[in-house]
Amino acid sequence: MGTPEFAVETLKALVENHFNVVAVVTQPDKAVGRHQTEVQPSEVKKYALEHHLPVLQPEKMKDPEFVEALRSYQANLQVVVAFRMLPEVVWDMPKYGTFNVHAALLPQYRGAAPINWAVINGETQTGVTTFFLDKDIDTGRVIMQKSFDIPDTADVEYVYDGLMHLGAEICLETIQLLMDADGYPESIPQEDLMGNVKRLYDAPKLFKSNCEIDWSRPSKRIYDFIRGLSPYPGAWTTLLGPDGKTVDLKIFKTTKTEKNPGMRPGMIVVYKGVLYITTGDFLLQIDELQMAGKKRMSARDFLNGNKNFDKYTIK
């Protein structure tokens, strides 16, 4: 059970390692395009059809027809990767239950966007967890965990790719554990993993509203915020042009500095062909950006085509 590219790697590992995948469950096809007239299947569906696997696409997970169709496959085990919350009638159906591959070291970063939030919060390590599903979101008993280092220069794309492959690896190892234990491996309540954790971070869904940059924060926090949203969905700010019009600007890559110009946060500074924005402490060098309606480009190329950019202000 899964939908995006992240889940395909695990499905691919199951197929290529000759597990008997009897069916695939994914989201319904999505309307895309400017006029919402084109219908796009999920990445998981594309892979499943290429490999002649039956596909189920329920609108509602409690739909009696879907539940009956799912039951007809008589699966021993269900594997969930980047899907949605399941009702008990679904996760409790197989003999050996249902486990989830989650892109974080639970109990940290429960929720929809664990990879983004780990980078946003400046974590130096994250990982993947397999756990048995229960009634609440991402709270079930942990079966296995694998860690993954986050370099200070890494953005979400790097971490996503690393965890995608690590997720496929931990899935295979978890199934081997299940087979060795006749379906009942040792598992640990998440409460037992709290240890010396001082604070639990959640990983809520990302919307445009929580991707806006707050320039009053320290530059390191903004630096992490930007790379935690790069390349998608992208951290943004609103500019006010000299003509009085506003335009959104996405920022994808920055460099930290220790230059403190003594200016209020959110001021645009162009110095010797380099673009900076002031923060709560130091200047933050802007390296890659995208003006609304334009393509992504280096800040240097952007400045070459926008000679009066220092006349803009951040709204």
Side-chain angles (χ1 to χ4, degrees), residues 94-211:
K95 177 181 178 182
Y96 299 127
T98 302
F99 76 78
N100 186 297
V101 178
H102 186 73
L105 296 174
L106 292 172
Q108 291 286 16
Y109 298 105
R110 294 168 175 161
I115 304 175
N116 299 90
W117 286 105
V119 181
I120 287 170
N121 288 332
E123 302 284 5
T124 58
Q125 189 178 74
T126 185
V128 288
T129 301
T130 50
F131 68 96
F132 285 116
L133 265 66
D134 62 14
K135 292 181 174 65
D136 297 311
I137 298 176
D138 300 336
T139 59
R141 294 175 66 93
V142 168
I143 308 166
M144 182 182 284
Q145 293 188 316
K146 283 180 174 287
S147 61
F148 181 84
D149 291 336
I150 306 176
D152 184 60
T153 54
D155 61 15
V156 158
E157 189 170 43
Y158 172 89
V159 183
Y160 181 100
D161 188 63
L163 295 187
M164 180 172 68
H165 291 90
L166 197 61
E169 184 181 305
I170 199 172
C171 175
L172 296 180
E173 291 183 22
T174 298
I175 291 177
Q176 187 61 54
L177 268 182
L178 280 153
M179 291 166 64
D180 292 344
D182 194 26
Y184 300 98
E186 287 187 24
S187 56
I188 306 168
Q190 290 191 31
E191 292 74 19
D192 293 356
L193 296 173
M194 297 292 188
N196 296 319
V197 174
K198 294 179 181 177
R199 176 180 173 183
L200 280 181
Y201 290 96
D202 291 324
K205 192 172 181 179
L206 294 169
F207 300 94
K208 185 177 181 182
S209 59
N210 58 2
C211 294

Side-chain angles (χ1 to χ4, degrees), residues 31-304:
V32 296
R34 187 173 177 184
H35 302 291
Q36 301 284 286
T37 52
E38 298 174 48
V39 177
Q40 177 111 6
S42 73
E43 294 302 314
V44 163
K45 180 179 178 180
K46 290 177 190 174
Y47 181 90
L49 293 180
E50 286 170 6
H51 292 80
H52 312 292
L53 300 173
V55 176
L56 301 174
Q57 296 178 273
E59 291 281 353
K60 296 180 180 179
M61 299 302 292
K62 290 183 180 180
D63 182 301
E65 287 187 19
F66 162 68
V67 172
E68 204 48 47
L70 187 63
R71 187 174 282 115
S72 72
Y73 287 102
Q74 299 181 320
N76 298 110
L77 175 70
Q78 290 172 164
V79 178
V80 179
V81 187
F83 196 44
R84 56 171 128 164
M85 190 171 179
L86 304 181
E88 184 172 358
V89 68
V90 172
W91 58 256
D92 196 41
M93 187 183 296
K95 177 181 178 182
Y96 299 127
T98 302
F99 76 78
N100 186 297
V101 178
H102 186 73
L105 296 174
L106 292 172
Q108 291 286 16
Y109 298 105
R110 294 168 175 161
I115 304 175
N116 299 90
W117 286 105
V119 181
I120 287 170
N121 288 332
E123 302 284 5
T124 58
Q125 189 178 74
T126 185
V128 288
T129 301
T130 50
F131 68 96
F132 285 116
L133 265 66
D134 62 14
K135 292 181 174 65
D136 297 311
I137 298 176
D138 300 336
T139 59
R141 294 175 66 93
V142 168
I143 308 166
M144 182 182 284
Q145 293 188 316
K146 283 180 174 287
S147 61
F148 181 84
D149 291 336
I150 306 176
D152 184 60
T153 54
D155 61 15
V156 158
E157 189 170 43
Y158 172 89
V159 183
Y160 181 100
D161 188 63
L163 295 187
M164 180 172 68
H165 291 90
L166 197 61
E169 184 181 305
I170 199 172
C171 175
L172 296 180
E173 291 183 22
T174 298
I175 291 177
Q176 187 61 54
L177 268 182
L178 280 153
M179 291 166 64
D180 292 344
D182 194 26
Y184 300 98
E186 287 187 24
S187 56
I188 306 168
Q190 290 191 31
E191 292 74 19
D192 293 356
L193 296 173
M194 297 292 188
N196 296 319
V197 174
K198 294 179 181 177
R199 176 180 173 183
L200 280 181
Y201 290 96
D202 291 324
K205 192 172 181 179
L206 294 169
F207 300 94
K208 185 177 181 182
S209 59
N210 58 2
C211 294
E212 183 177 10
I213 301 166
D214 178 358
W215 295 104
S216 69
R217 304 182 84 187
S219 58
K220 173 66 166 73
R221 295 301 303 273
I222 298 172
Y223 170 82
D224 291 336
F225 186 77
I226 289 168
R227 67 191 181 100
L229 296 169
S230 177
Y232 182 83
W236 64 278
T237 194
T238 300
L239 301 176
L240 181 64
D243 57 1
K245 294 181 180 178
T246 60
V247 62
D248 285 348
L249 180 77
K250 284 189 175 182
I251 299 175
F252 297 100
K253 189 175 181 183
T254 63
T255 299
K256 292 172 289 183
T257 80
E258 293 186 357
K259 301 170 184 174
N260 188 339
M263 300 163 68
R264 68 177 176 80
M267 301 289 289
I268 294 169
V269 178
V270 179
Y271 181 69
K272 292 186 178 180
V274 181
L275 174 60
Y276 303 92
I277 297 179
T278 58
T279 71
D281 49 19
F282 305 118
L283 286 173
L284 190 64
Q285 180 179 314
I286 311 303
D287 299 322
E288 291 183 21
L289 46 71
Q290 181 179 18
M291 190 84 87
K294 307 293 184 181
K295 67 178 183 178
R296 176 176 171 174
M297 62 180 69
S298 71
R300 189 171 293 277
D301 288 344
F302 177 82
L303 290 175
N304 287 337

